[in-house]
Amino acid sequence: MNALEAMGLGWVVLAGGFSAVALGRLSRRLRPVEPTRVPVLLLRPVDAPTERELENLSRPIDYAGPLEHVVLSPSRPRLPEGVRWLRSDPVTPNRKVGHLLNGLETLPRDGRVVLVVDADVAVTGALVEGLAGPVAAGAALSTAVPTPVGERGLADRAVAGLLRRTHHSFRALHVMSAGAKSVCGKALGLSGRAVAELRELADHLGEDLELSKRLHAKGLDVELCEAPAVVPMAPGTWSAALARFTRWMQVLVSHRPGLYPTVPVFFTPTWPLLALSLLAGSRWLSMGVAALLTIRTLLSWRLTVLSTPRPLGEGRGEGIWSAPVNPAVRHVALDWLLGEALLLAAFLSSLVRPSRVTWRGRTYALHSGGRMSPVWTELSGGRG
């Protein structure tokens, strides 16, 4: 056995073991969403909503408890009766955090649980319950798994495959996190302690990662909501998807540089190992890669089961996606490979990008710990 084969087999063992542990942890039975009727303040920060986002903001929410639904934006969007608009045009680098701070300073909480959900999420009663319940029970923060649905082209399938059927699914990330939990800011439940920490994050990109890190450092719990945060997809392009996840990789290296090198080792090993097995011509390495493909396809299948929203009438899914819970998805064996290819391309792209990102139409320089500053500040003599 030559050095190339030995390196490949070692990589297969590491990646396969990682997937096997994740599959085992994800095989545990889900906890049902506990019914709750706690009062909820639902905040929806947005700058310039698209038609799809306006549809999401207008969707009725079947929640049994008191619920105030407030959209925070610079100008009044088209909203149905019962959804309140609050003008917000923050000057903070992180405009989402700025919107939230404006809303929290203006609106009384009065014992209500604060939920923050992005405008591209179709909110359901089950999602409200799943986020509010843990916070009402004492958790510092609750989060839901972003679940893209309605994918059409290859780029859309790559995005959905990455976020639903690979190790980059936030459900898989949650069970495999050592230390601070991986959190996606698309749907959060905030305790008073989380709100207090949020006030210090207006100059951070990746405020969700930093919030989880700070709460973990204080010994506070982050709970995963079993109800998904369903994101109906608009048709997208490969270049847009690549730019999005390249930015995610840049944020990762800024926030948690120690985790950044693990991306090719554990999260995107399949394509390099396939190429290596062809190059080496080793029967043992080919068998190892075949075993890795098998276990990752099983993981994709399990994640598909866990991430499929329930149809109308089951668990108050409100019919957002009528796919059955049975994971007989036509592309389940292919889309995780597309997702890995997208993440690998984003990782390689991030290696050669400068430490600056374009986000929400503005360009920022990234600093250690996820802090950011407008590029014009850098050009005017700020820290390089």
Side-chain angles (χ1 to χ4, degrees), residues 7-370:
M7 182 189 74
L9 284 172
W11 193 356
V12 165
V13 170
L14 284 174
F18 186 71
S19 296
V21 172
L23 182 60
R25 293 181 180 180
L26 289 166
S27 297
R28 300 166 187 166
R29 186 176 180 83
L30 292 179
R31 302 189 313 270
V33 175
E34 295 293 336
T36 184
R37 295 187 177 184
V38 298
V40 168
L41 173 60
L42 174 60
L43 302 179
R44 311 293 296 279
V46 63
D47 277 334
T50 64
E51 281 300 316
R52 180 63 60 88
E53 290 172 339
L54 288 172
E55 291 177 17
N56 294 335
L57 295 172
S58 301
R59 184 180 298 276
I61 301 171
D62 179 21
Y63 178 62
L67 172 70
E68 183 178 11
H69 188 181
V70 183
V71 175
L72 307 166
S73 64
S75 58
R76 181 188 292 272
R78 185 180 72 249
L79 296 172
E81 185 179 352
V83 180
R84 179 178 174 183
W85 171 69
L86 183 66
R87 187 180 186 280
S88 174
D89 193 7
V91 296
T92 55
N94 188 320
R95 285 181 60 82
K96 178 179 176 179
V97 173
H99 283 309
L100 297 178
L101 295 181
N102 287 344
L104 292 167
E105 289 170 2
T106 304
L107 301 166
R109 280 186 277 161
D110 296 331
R112 296 183 291 183
V113 174
V114 177
L115 304 186
V116 178
V117 183
D118 286 359
D120 61 350
V121 175
V123 177
T124 67
L127 178 62
V128 172
E129 285 189 353
L131 290 170
V135 175
L141 183 72
S142 60
T143 182
V145 177
T147 305
V149 299
E151 61 271 24
R152 294 178 181 86
L154 282 179
D156 296 341
R157 286 172 53 193
V159 172
L162 177 59
L163 292 177
R164 294 186 58 193
R165 300 185 178 104
T166 72
H167 278 285
H168 209 279
S169 158
F170 278 84
R171 191 175 294 277
L173 288 170
H174 187 84
V175 300
M176 295 299 287
S177 292
K181 294 293 185 183
S182 294
V183 168
C184 181
K186 280 198 176 295
L188 298 174
L190 304 177
S191 68
R193 292 161 294 184
V195 169
E197 294 292 340
L198 188 67
R199 299 184 192 281
E200 301 179 19
L201 303 181
D203 64 343
H204 283 68
L205 184 61
E207 73 286 343
D208 43 9
L209 284 174
E210 184 65 19
L211 183 58
S212 174
K213 180 179 176 181
R214 293 186 179 205
L215 293 173
H216 175 75
K218 295 183 177 181
L220 300 175
D221 293 330
V222 176
E223 292 290 337
L224 181 68
C225 168
E226 297 298 352
V230 176
V231 181
M233 296 186 72
T237 63
W238 181 265
S239 60
L242 180 60
R244 175 188 177 188
F245 288 102
T246 298
R247 186 176 69 245
W248 282 28
M249 292 294 98
Q250 290 174 285
V251 171
L252 178 64
V253 74
S254 173
H255 271 278
R256 302 184 184 179
L259 291 180
Y260 181 70
T262 69
V263 172
V265 177
F266 295 118
F267 293 87
T268 63
T270 310
W271 289 105
L273 282 169
L274 280 168
L276 186 60
S277 67
L278 291 174
L279 178 65
S282 165
R283 183 170 63 119
W284 290 107
L285 183 54
S286 297
M287 290 172 60
V289 172
L292 178 65
L293 284 166
T294 300
I295 194 168
R296 294 221 160 187
T297 301
L298 290 173
L299 178 67
S300 167
W301 189 277
R302 178 58 181 163
L303 286 167
T304 300
V305 174
L306 295 175
S307 68
T308 302
R310 293 179 181 275
L312 183 64
E314 296 186 33
R316 288 210 301 287
E318 283 133 27
I320 286 174
W321 196 37
S322 58
V325 176
N326 188 312
V329 180
R330 183 175 50 173
H331 301 296
V332 69
L334 174 63
D335 287 7
W336 73 265
L337 282 166
L338 290 174
E340 273 204 25
L342 174 59
L343 188 61
L344 179 60
F347 176 82
L348 295 174
S349 176
S350 71
L351 291 173
V352 296
R353 291 289 181 92
S355 57
R356 60 180 58 181
V357 296
T358 299
W359 183 57
R360 299 177 186 258
R362 294 169 171 82
T363 301
Y364 300 96
L366 276 176
H367 308 297
S368 176

